[in-house]
Amino acid sequence: MDRSLEAQSKNDISNHLEEIEVKLLLQGLYDWCGYDFRNYAYQSIRRRIWHRVYAERLSTITGLLDKVLHDPSCLQRLIADFSINVTEMFRDPLFFLEFREKVVPLLRTYPSIRIWHAGCSTGEEVYSMAMLLHEEDLYEKTKIYATDINTTALKDAKSGIFPLENMKKYTSNYLRAGGKRAFSDYYCVTNKGVQFYPFLTKNVIFAQHNLVTDRSFNEFHVILCRNVLIYFNKTLQNKVHSLFYESLGMFGILGLGDKESIYYTNHFDSYNVISGKQKLYRKVK
Ligand SMILES: C[S@@+](CC[C@H](N)C(=O)[O-])C[C@H]1O[C@@H](n2cnc3c(N)ncnc32)[C@H](O)[C@@H]1O
């Protein structure tokens, strides 16, 4: 056989074997503890798995499956690897500016407001929204539900403590997002880091919720699910979009992340576009 063909065929076999091992690991995880990562985007989950294989000083994915099933701490480490928590305050500042300019006037017309941050990670997005609503005199009539699959991230979110070194970037984001005060009005510096004032979370409920396996739990005026669906495959994205569609009241607002869109999902024609660039949509049927 031609050498390059031989190499190609070896490559195909090893990719196929890898796919089988990934499938077995994810199925094993699901059967063992109910966490369902089977429909997460393949390439991203594959990278995370190999990262854990090497970190555990193993050489195969099957070896990792063995360890995950028999060592609860390794199971926790793998689940933590799958939950990518990167976030920041006023992430994509123009999203928050657009929210302030186009969504806030709609929210003013409601007697009370329910907002769901789905996949809130360590809470930076939630504190950002609380500041924005406070400045627009809407916070008092708002209830925010902030959920994530990751309980460690939720614990950090509840604490309201964030690293001091992030404040420069967050201050700049806040100003670009149309912030009306001094960003430093919202926190004080302690020896543990920066402590945001508790009034920002007095109307927030932090709770664990798994978008893959849990159901709708209320009807919302706004759902933000930003930078979460990029980690899911098409089938799972559609499933979660159905959950959002069910959970939004008529004329409710859906906000997605920079690289996400309502286009090509099964609920595409149920929404009007408020801002195509900032991924803000309004349910109209
Ligand atoms: C990259 S962070 C996004 C945080 C924030 N929304 C933002 O845009 O900055 C993705 C979050 O989605 C959460 N996540 C992943 N799978 C999830 C699931 N099945 N259900 C709920 N949250 C999930 C992760 O734990 C992580 O905190």
Side-chain angles (χ1 to χ4, degrees):
M1 199 193 283
D2 174 296
R3 281 226 177 121
S4 66
L5 275 178
E6 198 178 329
Q8 174 63 37
S9 125
K10 269 191 188 156
N11 215 2
D12 287 349
I13 290 171
S14 114
N15 284 344
H16 185 49
L17 205 54
E18 186 186 65
E19 270 173 37
I20 292 173
E21 289 191 276
V22 168
K23 223 187 220 175
L24 286 171
L25 174 69
L26 299 180
Q27 186 64 43
L29 206 59
Y30 179 57
D31 291 344
W32 182 229
C33 63
Y35 277 106
D36 191 355
F37 296 101
R38 293 173 299 175
N39 280 313
Y40 276 46
Y42 184 75
Q43 287 308 331
S44 157
I45 211 90
R46 175 188 166 276
R47 276 195 302 276
R48 300 267 132 198
I49 289 172
W50 278 114
H51 162 79
R52 184 49 41 205
V53 168
Y54 297 132
E56 302 291 328
R57 299 177 187 281
L58 300 165
S59 55
T60 62
I61 297 175
T62 316
L64 181 61
L65 172 59
D66 181 33
K67 193 162 182 190
V68 156
L69 295 180
H70 297 102
D71 175 352
S73 62
C74 178
L75 172 71
Q76 288 312 319
R77 290 192 288 276
L78 181 65
I79 291 170
D81 287 338
F82 287 163
S83 145
I84 298 161
N85 297 126
V86 185
T87 187
E88 57 188 57
M89 289 203 181
F90 295 96
R91 181 179 192 173
D92 306 316
L94 299 185
F95 172 89
F96 285 91
L97 186 62
E98 201 81 330
F99 190 96
R100 212 186 262 270
E101 288 174 356
K102 302 235 170 97
V103 178
V104 161
L106 303 173
L107 297 182
R108 283 199 197 291
T109 63
Y110 299 135
S112 64
I113 304 165
R114 282 183 303 277
I115 299 181
W116 179 16
H117 288 264
C120 68
S121 186
T122 39
E124 285 81 342
E125 185 182 275
V126 179
Y127 286 82
S128 310
M129 181 59 75
M131 287 177 229
L132 188 158
L133 295 172
H134 172 69
E135 289 173 10
E136 298 298 335
D137 287 325
L138 290 176
Y139 187 65
E140 289 306 315
K141 62 171 178 172
T142 303
K143 191 100 189 154
I144 295 180
Y145 298 78
T147 65
D148 201 280
I149 191 178
N150 184 328
T151 47
T152 312
L154 287 170
K155 215 169 136 217
D156 289 348
K158 269 186 216 169
S159 79
I161 298 173
F162 299 96
L164 179 61
E165 59 268 26
N166 292 351
M167 293 309 122
K168 195 169 169 218
K169 169 92 189 251
Y170 293 176
T171 304
S172 148
N173 283 357
Y174 167 78
L175 294 173
R176 290 181 57 216
K180 292 181 173 170
R181 294 173 159 222
F183 188 59
S184 55
D185 285 355
Y186 293 104
Y187 63 79
C188 60
V189 180
T190 73
N191 54 5
K192 288 189 194 148
V194 157
Q195 173 75 62
F196 278 75
Y197 293 126
F199 79 88
L200 290 171
T201 46
K202 79 180 166 76
N203 294 346
V204 180
I205 295 170
F206 289 102
Q208 190 186 29
H209 180 276
N210 187 335
L211 289 165
V212 183
T213 48
D214 293 335
R215 299 211 180 147
S216 172
F217 57 94
N218 211 327
E219 190 177 280
F220 297 96
H221 302 97
V222 177
I223 298 177
L224 294 195
C225 183
R226 309 190 63 235
N227 308 296
V228 181
L229 296 174
I230 31 166
Y231 299 109
F232 297 176
N233 72 14
K234 217 70 243 141
T235 311
L236 189 50
Q237 287 179 12
N238 272 322
K239 186 177 165 192
V240 176
H241 271 294
S242 293
L243 174 68
F244 292 157
Y245 178 78
E246 272 171 41
S247 308
L248 266 180
M250 187 54 75
F251 305 119
I253 307 295
L254 178 65
L256 302 175
D258 183 42
K259 295 188 180 63
E260 296 154 345
S261 160
I262 192 74
Y263 291 108
Y264 311 114
T265 71
N266 48 3
H267 288 291
F268 161 63
D269 61 1
S270 310
Y271 292 89
N272 274 352
V273 177
I274 293 183
S275 167
K277 200 150 195 300
Q278 300 309 326
K279 313 298 164 69
L280 280 163
Y281 309 95
R282 191 171 199 203
K283 175 171 164 178
V284 288
K285 58 181 170 182

